[in-house]
Amino acid sequence: MYILVINAGSSSLKYQLFDMPSDKPLCSGLIERIGTDEAFIRHKILTSVPAQTIERKATIADHTAGLQQMVYLLSDAQIGIIHSADEIQAVGHRVVHGGERFAGATLITPAVKEAIKALFPLAPLHNPVNYKCIEIAEKTFPNARQIAIFDTAFHQTMPAYAFRYAIPEELYAEDGIRVYGFHGTSHKYVSEKASAWLGKPDAKLISLHLGNGCSITAVQAGKSIDTSMGFSPLAGLVMGTRSGDIDPAIIFHLVSNGYSPDEVNDLLNKQSGMQGLTGLNDMRDIRKALEAGNRAAALALDIYAYRIRKYIGAYAAVLNGLDALLFTAGVGENDSAMREQVCSSLDVLNIHLDSSKNSTSSSEIRDVSRAGAAVKILVIPTNEELEIAIQSFELLFPS
C-alpha cells in the first residue's frame, strides 16, 4: 500500500512515499524556507536509475502551498509516481507533542485532532503546523487514513522518578508539567537498529541525536528510561540556537533587569547555544571558524562536547552498564571530529574510539570503536520518515 509520510517543521516540509511493506521510498522531497520568497524545493524520484532530482526556488507562502507543490510533483504526468490522490491509502504525520495521552501510533479522529490542538501551548512552533498539515492532507487525500506519530511517544516508558520535577504536585496533576522528551521517533529507530546489529534485544544503549536540535536518551531493552530534553525541547544538551540546561534563576535575573518573558524565551531558544557562543549555528561553519583560529569556536566546541560527556556518564550510571553509544542525525552522523572529541576521556566507561574507522563515511551502520572494546560506538543514519511509515503500517496491519 502507498503510505505518504509528512514531516513538517515550523518552516520546512519533508516527505517520502513508500510502497509498504517495502522500506525503500519511491520518492522523497524537502521544501525549505516556507513563508519566504526564497523557498527551495528538492524532489527526488528514486524509482528511476539513476535517481532523478528536481530542484528549484519558488515562493511558497505557507504549508498549504508546500503540500500543493508536493502533490503536483507526486502526480506530474512526466515524473509522477501516482496518477491521482486516491492512490494514497494512508498518510503518516510527525506530530511533535502528544503529551501523556499518546504512547504510540494513533489513527487520527476528530477527538485526536482536538487533543493535538489542546497541546499547542506546549509546542507552539510545531503542533499548530502539524495540525494544519493534517487538515490539508484530509482534504487532499480524502480516501486515505491519517495517522499521527508523536515525537514524545517513545519516552512514555520513562519511570515517574525520571519524568517528574521536584515541584508542587498540582503543577503536574493539573498543568501537566513534567519531562516529555523529544526526538523520540529518531531515538526509537536507531536504538532498534542497534539492538538488531548487536543481536541483543535487552541492550543498554545511549542514543545521541545531534543536529541543530540535540538530545540524548538512555534506552534499555528497547524502552526509553531517561532523556535530556524536558517539558520543552530547550533542556539538556547545547544546541544550534538553544541554550540547553541553564540555572532557572538566570531567567528571573534577566526579567528583573528589564527583559520581558518573551525576550528571554527568544534569547534562550533562538540566540543561545552555539549561536550565542560563536555567532554561528551550523557546525560546518563553526569548524571553518576553528580552522581560521577562532578562539570562541574552540571554546564552544569544548562546551558542546563536555555537556554530552556529562550526560553519557550520568546515563551509563542510570543504565548500570553500557553496550553501545549511538551517534545519529546531521552532526552525529557527519562530524567525525566531534565524535572523537565526545569519546575522549571516557576510558572509565570502556569507551574507546578508533580514529581510522571514525574517519570513514557510509550510509550504513558502522562501528567506529577500537577492536575488542567492551562498548561499541555505532554511527547509525536516522530515518524518521521510514520509522513513521513502519509504525503507520503496523497500526493498520498488526502482526
Side-chain angles (χ1 to χ4, degrees):
M1 67 181 301
Y2 280 174
I3 296 181
L4 175 66
V5 173
I6 294 175
N7 184 345
S10 56
S11 61
S12 65
L13 179 67
K14 291 193 287 186
Y15 58 89
Q16 289 191 41
L17 178 64
F18 294 89
D19 188 2
M20 295 298 288
S22 170
D23 62 359
K24 302 296 183 185
L26 304 176
C27 70
S28 66
L30 171 64
I31 305 174
E32 295 182 288
R33 300 183 183 182
I34 293 172
T36 74
D37 293 333
E38 297 183 354
F40 186 80
I41 303 170
R42 181 182 294 110
H43 180 82
K44 292 185 179 180
I45 302 100
L46 303 171
T47 52
S48 61
V49 181
Q52 185 180 353
T53 301
I54 293 112
E55 297 181 345
R56 63 169 180 256
K57 289 184 178 180
T59 300
I60 299 178
D62 53 25
H63 284 76
T64 301
L67 285 172
Q68 288 170 347
Q69 289 285 334
M70 177 195 72
V71 172
Y72 171 78
L73 290 164
L74 287 174
S75 57
D76 180 80
Q78 300 298 319
I79 61 167
I81 303 294
I82 61 174
H83 298 292
S84 77
D86 291 341
E87 293 179 50
I88 304 296
Q89 295 159 282
V91 181
H93 297 265
R94 176 199 177 212
V95 180
V96 165
H97 215 308
E100 288 191 317
R101 176 172 173 179
F102 301 106
T106 304
L107 199 63
I108 296 172
T109 64
V112 170
K113 286 171 65 178
E114 286 305 306
I116 293 170
K117 203 171 182 178
L119 291 163
F120 281 8
L122 299 187
L125 295 179
H126 293 91
N127 266 38
V129 170
N130 302 150
Y131 182 91
K132 186 175 184 180
C133 286
I134 290 168
E135 293 211 305
I136 298 165
E138 285 175 333
K139 295 174 183 176
T140 307
F141 307 104
N143 295 330
R145 283 169 285 187
Q146 309 290 327
I147 298 162
I149 310 296
F150 297 91
D151 259 11
T152 50
F154 182 58
H155 301 300
Q156 287 299 298
T157 53
M158 287 190 296
Y161 55 74
F163 73 69
R164 284 290 299 275
Y165 290 115
I167 56 176
E169 166 75 19
E170 60 267 21
L171 292 175
Y172 165 64
E174 297 173 15
D175 299 321
I177 297 178
R178 52 156 287 177
V179 171
Y180 288 103
F182 299 89
H183 292 146
T185 305
S186 176
H187 288 300
K188 182 177 188 295
Y189 178 82
V190 299
S191 60
E192 288 177 350
K193 289 287 184 183
S195 291
W197 189 91
L198 292 164
K200 194 170 185 180
D202 61 346
K204 296 178 178 182
L205 308 169
I206 294 177
S207 172
L208 275 163
H209 179 106
L210 304 178
N212 193 48
C214 303
S215 64
I216 179 169
T217 295
V219 180
Q220 185 167 8
K223 298 183 184 299
S224 170
I225 61 171
D226 204 350
T227 193
S228 59
M229 285 181 168
F231 178 69
S232 79
L234 181 59
L237 305 178
V238 175
M239 304 176 225
T241 64
R242 299 180 193 132
S243 65
D245 289 342
I246 193 169
D247 182 345
I250 294 170
I251 297 170
F252 307 127
H253 174 79
L254 292 171
V255 170
S256 66
N257 280 275
Y259 283 80
S260 71
D262 285 344
E263 286 172 334
V264 174
N265 185 56
D266 188 75
L267 174 73
L268 296 179
N269 276 289
K270 298 179 181 179
Q271 301 175 42
S272 296
M274 301 303 272
Q275 177 72 38
L277 292 167
T278 69
L280 304 165
N281 66 55
D282 190 303
M283 194 65 81
R284 292 165 294 189
D285 295 331
I286 295 166
R287 287 279 170 211
K288 290 177 184 176
L290 177 69
E291 291 167 6
N294 187 307
R295 294 176 64 186
L299 175 60
L301 291 165
D302 284 343
I303 293 170
Y304 184 98
Y306 178 73
R307 182 75 59 85
I308 294 170
R309 283 201 302 276
K310 285 209 302 184
Y311 266 94
I312 290 171
Y315 285 177
V318 165
L319 291 163
N320 193 27
L322 184 62
D323 292 304
L325 182 64
L326 319 179
F327 285 89
T328 194
V331 176
E333 294 171 30
N334 300 306
D335 193 329
S336 59
M338 181 50 65
R339 290 196 298 269
E340 186 147 9
Q341 193 169 357
V342 166
C343 293
S344 66
S345 303
L346 290 176
D347 299 14
V348 70
L349 299 178
N350 294 313
I351 294 173
H352 303 282
L353 183 134
D354 184 307
S355 296
S356 59
K357 289 182 183 178
N358 187 48
S359 63
T360 63
S361 61
S362 171
S363 59
E364 304 297 327
I365 297 177
R366 62 191 190 279
D367 176 10
V368 298
S369 57
R370 193 180 302 167
V375 176
K376 299 298 182 185
I377 305 170
L378 304 180
V379 181
I380 307 180
T382 193
N383 193 331
E384 291 175 300
E385 288 75 35
L386 174 57
E387 179 62 30
I388 291 168
I390 291 169
Q391 289 190 46
S392 297
F393 185 78
E394 290 176 346
L395 176 68
L396 298 173
F397 299 98
S399 55

